[in-house]
Amino acid sequence: MARLNDKQTLELGVKPVGKLLMQYAIPAIIAMTASSLYNMIDSIFIGHGVGALAISGLAVTFPFMNLSAAFGAGVGVGASTCLSVKLGQKDYAIAQRILGNNVTLNIIVGFLFSVFSLLFLNPILYFFGASEQTLPYAREYMIIILLGNVFTHLYFGMNAVLRAAGKPQQAMYTTVFTVVLNTVLDPIFIYTFDMGIRGAALATILSQIVALAWQVKIFSNPGELLHLRRGIYKPEPAILRNILSIGISPFAMNATACLVSIFVNQRLLHYGGDLAVGAYGLANRVAFVFVMINFGICQGMQPIAGYNYGARKTDRLMHVLKLAIIAGTCVTTVGFLVAEFIPEYCIRLFTSDEELTFLAVGALSIMMAAMPVVGYQMIITNFFQSIGKAKISILLSLSRQLLFLIPLLIALPPFFGVDGVWISMPVSDAISALLALTLMVLYMKKLRKIS
């Protein structure tokens, strides 16, 4: 059943690992960096075109976006990991049906999430940290985002499948295209049409819809190993269980990020007010760039690790892990240096408000103090996810943000005020990195015994 991209898929098991990681990771890094850039672009246009309170309103939507991403990642990453393993086992018939179930599940989840969220939008936003001043901005933004949520889920889900199917460059082109189009549409909707924060949301959704149309065109080619066709969309319990059992880890990671963002926003609103919430949003935007680059490395590693795990090629599996750890640690170390030595230059990209700038610069310097070890922790977490070790991956996903950070957020702010919120983050990063190191060492010892 060899098709046009059969050779691309099979090379995951034979091509030198270093070249493979570059081949898959560089497009993913570019795509992830581009993804973080269009989030930054929204913030820049909103900060300078609407104002400081709009930035705080946008920050309130971050937990919402994380929660939506949690469901999307649960389906998209779960499906792409299942695909990688099945392609490694050369089980192309099941891989084809995984593609169809990925589409069906994304539509169902995206639709249900939008309906529920729109019905309870105001209470949810207040719970997420909105005040009377920031609620109108957050509400205007989220209504449009939620109306287009099904397209967003499909867009991210199809991009994950593109990478798993041996098409990392197409996945990169898709994401870069959304950034370019979003950058063009933002000033048109925000300034020319005077739509304010609603214009930023509309630009984002329209960009993703156009990109999704191109993805569908790619997967509509019957000459491809994996392609959209009749008979693959009916939900199959066994496939859905496999997707969700693996996808539970990235879901937990993003859902935990949502929970933590809610808790952080509430603590900041209590100890520092609306502008402290906005400062967190801006500092997060800067940190997000380096986190997303690291996600790109993880995504580049995922199909290589999944394929070689499925093919029982342990040496290649451990080689790609080693290279990914080195690359990820280098990226987050650069993030640390940026946050410590040029934080003000980063923050002034988003706002000229002096009070907001002052708060965000301090937040950024403290929040990213342990950033070098975050790279290692993320790679290890995604490695276990890539080889289907869902329980370990879930534990590591939860540890960094839930098991360690929330208790620190409860304990430190009463003594240190707003600074206690910022300090909690690097401390939890350091502890969770130590846990990841311990579990990885134990797994490597077990793997050597099996080999």
Side-chain angles (χ1 to χ4, degrees):
M1 188 181 169
R3 301 275 181 162
L4 293 180
N5 68 344
D6 197 10
K7 183 178 178 181
Q8 290 175 298
T9 303
L10 294 175
E11 72 180 7
L12 290 167
V14 295
K15 193 171 182 177
V17 172
K19 290 183 179 179
L20 268 179
L21 185 59
M22 290 185 66
Q23 176 184 331
Y24 278 77
I26 289 176
I29 289 169
I30 293 172
M32 289 296 97
T33 304
S35 179
S36 65
L37 284 177
Y38 83 72
N39 287 322
M40 288 181 68
I41 288 163
D42 277 354
S43 297
I44 290 169
F45 280 114
I46 290 168
H48 290 289
V50 187
L53 275 179
I55 283 288
S56 297
L58 186 65
V60 169
T61 70
F62 290 168
F64 231 138
M65 306 295 277
N66 282 335
L67 188 57
S68 178
F71 286 100
V75 178
V77 176
S80 63
T81 301
C82 289
L83 271 172
S84 294
V85 173
K86 290 302 176 183
L87 291 172
Q89 295 170 346
K90 298 181 176 56
D91 192 346
Y92 301 132
I94 294 294
Q96 185 71 54
R97 299 205 296 274
I98 290 172
L99 170 63
N101 277 240
N102 173 56
V103 172
T104 303
L105 199 53
N106 268 307
I107 292 172
I108 294 170
V109 171
F111 176 76
L112 292 177
F113 182 86
S114 293
V115 171
F116 180 84
S117 300
L118 286 167
L119 286 173
F120 302 99
L121 187 56
N122 279 14
I124 292 172
L125 288 172
Y126 277 125
F127 180 67
F128 284 0
S131 68
E132 292 293 335
Q133 288 72 38
T134 59
L135 178 69
Y137 297 108
R139 179 180 170 81
E140 285 185 356
Y141 188 82
M142 283 310 305
I143 285 176
I144 293 175
I145 292 294
L146 289 169
L147 288 174
N149 190 54
V150 170
F151 300 107
T152 300
H153 276 234
L154 283 169
Y155 159 69
F156 284 113
M158 296 297 275
N159 238 29
V161 171
L162 274 173
R163 284 187 293 270
K167 294 182 176 294
Q169 289 188 332
Q170 283 89 337
M172 175 192 72
Y173 295 148
T174 304
T175 307
V176 171
F177 172 77
T178 62
V179 177
V180 174
L181 185 56
N182 189 67
T183 305
V184 172
L185 294 178
D186 258 342
I188 293 174
F189 291 141
I190 294 173
Y191 298 118
T192 306
F193 295 154
D194 196 26
M195 294 181 68
I197 198 169
R198 290 180 295 119
L202 185 59
T204 297
I205 293 300
L206 287 178
S207 301
Q208 292 172 349
I209 289 173
V210 176
L212 175 62
W214 189 61
Q215 292 170 328
V216 171
K217 184 178 183 297
I218 293 173
F219 279 112
S220 296
N221 181 3
E224 293 291 345
L225 177 63
L226 297 175
H227 61 277
L228 300 172
R229 64 185 184 191
R230 290 183 180 181
I232 65 171
Y233 305 105
K234 182 180 178 180
E236 298 186 33
I239 291 177
L240 295 181
R241 277 196 302 270
N242 286 336
I243 290 174
L244 296 176
S245 66
I246 294 172
I248 193 68
S249 175
F251 171 83
M253 185 184 299
N254 284 277
T256 301
C258 168
L259 179 63
V260 170
S261 293
I262 294 167
F263 200 70
V264 169
N265 282 347
Q266 290 176 343
R267 301 299 271 176
L268 289 172
L269 192 62
H270 178 73
Y271 287 98
D274 286 324
L275 286 186
V277 175
Y280 174 56
L282 295 187
N284 238 355
R285 284 298 194 221
V286 177
F288 197 58
V289 174
F290 299 97
V291 169
M292 292 302 278
I293 293 173
N294 224 38
F295 269 129
I297 296 170
C298 291
Q299 288 180 354
M301 174 188 69
Q302 182 265 320
I304 305 169
Y307 186 100
N308 285 285
Y309 179 76
R312 299 184 180 274
K313 297 185 177 183
T314 304
D315 289 345
R316 293 175 62 80
L317 179 68
M318 300 313 296
H319 191 189
V320 74
L321 170 65
K322 177 183 176 181
L323 294 177
I325 287 173
I326 293 170
T329 302
C330 288
V331 168
T332 50
T333 300
V334 171
F336 164 77
L337 295 174
V338 168
E340 299 308 315
F341 292 103
I342 54 170
E344 188 169 347
Y345 291 100
C346 299
I347 298 302
R348 288 201 179 277
L349 288 172
F350 302 96
T351 183
S352 56
D353 186 275
E354 292 299 327
E355 185 179 358
L356 181 57
T357 299
F358 175 77
L359 290 170
V361 166
L364 182 62
S365 298
I366 299 173
M367 281 173 56
M368 295 181 68
M371 197 66 176
V373 298
V374 171
Y376 177 89
Q377 199 269 354
M378 287 179 63
I379 297 294
I380 294 301
T381 300
N382 280 272
F383 171 77
F384 283 117
Q385 173 189 301
S386 298
I387 62 174
K389 302 293 182 182
K391 291 181 180 179
I392 300 175
S393 183
I394 291 168
L395 173 62
L396 293 176
S397 298
L398 293 176
S399 69
R400 182 182 167 208
Q401 296 182 317
L402 187 65
L403 300 181
F404 303 134
L405 180 54
I406 286 185
L408 288 167
L409 287 169
I410 294 171
L412 297 183
F415 297 99
F416 301 102
V418 172
D419 284 344
V421 179
W422 311 135
I423 293 168
S424 300
M425 299 179 196
V427 174
S428 66
D429 287 340
I431 298 172
S432 60
L434 182 61
L435 175 63
L437 175 62
T438 303
L439 292 177
M440 192 66 237
V441 169
L442 292 174
Y443 179 75
M444 289 177 71
K445 288 180 179 178
K446 179 180 178 181
L447 197 63
R448 287 193 189 101
K449 289 180 180 178
I450 296 173
S451 301

